[in-house]
Amino acid sequence: MDFRIADTFTDSLARLTGDEQKAVKTTAFDLQMNPANPGMSFHKIDHSKDKNFWSVRAGSDIRLIVHKTSGGLLLCYADHHDKAYAWAERRRLETHPKTGAAQMVELRETVKEILVPKYVEAPVPTPVKKSRSEPLFAGFSDDELLGFGVPTGWLNDVRSATEETLLGLTEYLPSEAAEALLELATGGKPRAAETTAAPANPFDHPDAQRRFRIMANVDELMQALEYPWDKWTVFLHPEQRQMVERDYRGPARVAGSAGTGKTIVALHRAVHLAKDNPDSRVLLTTFSDTLASALHTKLKRLVGSQPQLADRIDVASLDTIAQRLHRSLVGPAKLISSEELKTAMLAASQSATGHKFSLRFLLSEWDQVVDAWQLTTWDGYRDVARLGRKTRLPESQRKLLWSIMELVRANIAARGAVTAATLFTSTAVAIGKAKNPPFDFAVVDEAQDIGVPHLRFLSSFVRREDALFFAGDLGQRIFQTPFSWKALGVDVRGRSRTLRVNYRTSHQIRTQADRLLAGEMTDVDGNKEDRRETVSVFNGPAPTIRTFETQPEESKHVGGWIRDRIADGLAPHEIAVFVRSTEQLVRAEAALREAKIDFKTLDERVDVSSGRAALCTMHLAKGLEFRAVAVMACDDEVVPLQARIESVGDTGDLQEVYDTERHLLYVACTRARDHLLITSTEPASEFLDDLRGK
């Protein structure tokens, strides 16, 4: 007998209290060990249209809804008695007549009215030249709509859907149908769902595998129940699957706004490469140890039952893997510290005469130009394209600058040290000379934040045309200045695709956060990321933006808002508070104390604790997600940070600072799934006007 779990079950479990979740999990484990256990309280749901729905008691008022047949048992839903029964009475497990996929279908005759909630204010961007009240799919036949996975009972409703009602309607449809319709409405051309022959198991269909997962043992069930919000680590949207499994004739990149599943694509791409190339080694990497740790955790969930596969996928940050390879291929290296570099630059500046370059400017010129591109000669420095620098200098000034940089290079050498960029470069050279590279493939997450040395290092692995795969979002670039990938031999033109379906963030949060960024973003090489056609698959309440006279007023309000979220049924670990920098942590701590809940201040390890709300800076928020997020202290001179503005050595780089500060606020806001609160004290950040649409 097969024992499966549905995504509707993990979703419902997440909405219960901690004690209720424990009771449900215990009952689920008992069912898995012995589905026919006579001690289990099975009750037939008399009014359900599906004769195979049963309820199972998990405490005095908590019930599990299961679908029980001779061939298997499926965990479907968990809630309080009346709500659980009502859910089962409105649904039926069906095999789609055209695709052959198993679907949990909400029965149309029980739905009296479908309306988009009033809080939906911003329409989904669409190139379709129709009025908001004109049916979007009137010209589609039954067979065409069935080909997208629309259940038979919903054909008429889909055909009459308008721009005003579509988003509300899609909440009732299976995911493959909802995604296809949203893509059609925004001018896309979705692929028809895969068709499975009649004798096939409907649970084996790719679309069904996104929502029904077989549990082979207790460990797998425990893992599934512990991470209900991580279901997209396992399930792939067809567009994502196409990007994962495609054979590329060169380096490739997947882009998309926050929540579209880029990291999931990267994870699955690494696994796909390891499976299809049994003798290969795959590097799965990103720019920080924090994010690499998160990737490693997700990879374990994905391939935990295949240890031999996991052994061939090395997960580490770029810094960690470069240092490891440098030790083995070149030898040990002493990295110069930032303070030592500052001392060397100050000494070189003072020894040179006839200039007015500030120390800040000199350090940024070193980091972004000289060291990044590993320039060792005047000719190389004179001719380099200054893509990351807006200030244009005459040759005489550049010669003077170069004399300073040569002194710094000599100082570093005298210390017996190297920069991180030099370490990456020398490691790349050693890999290029080696008979066999240490890795056959490299998959890079958060690729928008890698720099010139990183890309040179990754390029050294290339022995085959599909060796490099990148996942990133230009709108989340917060660490690196732009540069030309093409200039380093990594050309993704024609092999760059943008994901357009957002699974993590509600329509309301996504559309408001998107106001911080341009609708279309272009990199230095001309690759475009169009965010205007991105759609979310679910609704939620509109984000709230509040400005207060004093910090205590702000903290009191945020604390009350958090208490309201707890009253709504959210667990503390589903709530987070973010601030721009450590100086503002005290304001957030006051808010969490006002809420009277346990919390944990996250460090670089980003270890979120069950039963405790999370508190951290915006930089550490990258890669995280929560059901409710409060972004506090968005004051003037905090966002954007005045200290960053004042530290700009090249006045032409101010725009870059403003851009990355916008990106940082965007990252913080898009960590929220359902609820978002943004607060400040007077005077508020200018970015809040953008969020408000002013």
Side-chain angles (χ1 to χ4, degrees), residues 375-384 395 398-399 402 406:
L375 303 176
T376 60
T377 66
W378 158 245
D379 289 345
Y381 180 64
R382 179 193 61 205
D383 299 335
V384 70
E395 185 168 310
R398 294 186 74 172
K399 281 185 177 179
W402 181 245
E406 282 190 311

Side-chain angles (χ1 to χ4, degrees), residues 102-124:
Q103 296 180 330
M104 193 71 73
V105 178
E106 183 160 354
L107 302 178
R108 178 63 187 93
E109 59 263 28
T110 65
V111 181
K112 296 180 181 180
E113 190 174 297
I114 301 173
L115 295 173
V116 180
K118 291 183 178 180
Y119 49 68
V120 178
E121 298 176 355
V124 177

Side-chain angles (χ1 to χ4, degrees), residues 95-101 142-148 192 194-196:
T95 299
H96 192 276
K98 187 174 181 70
T99 68
D142 284 358
D143 192 63
E144 287 174 313
L145 295 177
L146 288 169
F148 294 125
E194 294 186 31
T195 301
T196 303

Side-chain angles (χ1 to χ4, degrees), residues 570-588:
L570 272 66
H573 59 264
E574 295 175 322
I575 300 170
V577 182
F578 302 139
V579 292
R580 171 60 182 83
S581 55
T582 54
E583 288 76 12
Q584 291 84 47
L585 286 174
V586 63
R587 293 162 66 172

Side-chain angles (χ1 to χ4, degrees), residues 366-400:
W366 172 266
D367 288 335
Q368 297 177 27
V369 182
V370 178
D371 195 39
W373 292 93
Q374 289 288 281
L375 303 176
T376 60
T377 66
W378 158 245
D379 289 345
Y381 180 64
R382 179 193 61 205
D383 299 335
V384 70
R386 296 168 59 84
L387 292 171
R389 311 289 278 168
K390 304 298 187 292
T391 299
R392 298 294 178 255
L393 300 172
E395 185 168 310
S396 60
Q397 290 292 294
R398 294 186 74 172
K399 281 185 177 179
L400 183 56

Side-chain angles (χ1 to χ4, degrees), residues 519-554:
E520 184 178 85
M521 307 187 77
T522 306
D523 67 13
V524 171
D525 296 325
N527 297 294
K528 295 181 179 180
E529 295 180 9
D530 193 343
R531 319 172 71 87
R532 293 169 295 188
E533 295 184 355
T534 302
V535 294
S536 299
V537 299
F538 65 96
N539 271 314
T544 302
I545 304 173
R546 293 288 306 274
T547 298
F548 301 89
E549 291 293 331
T550 67
Q551 293 181 14
E553 288 177 322
E554 178 193 31

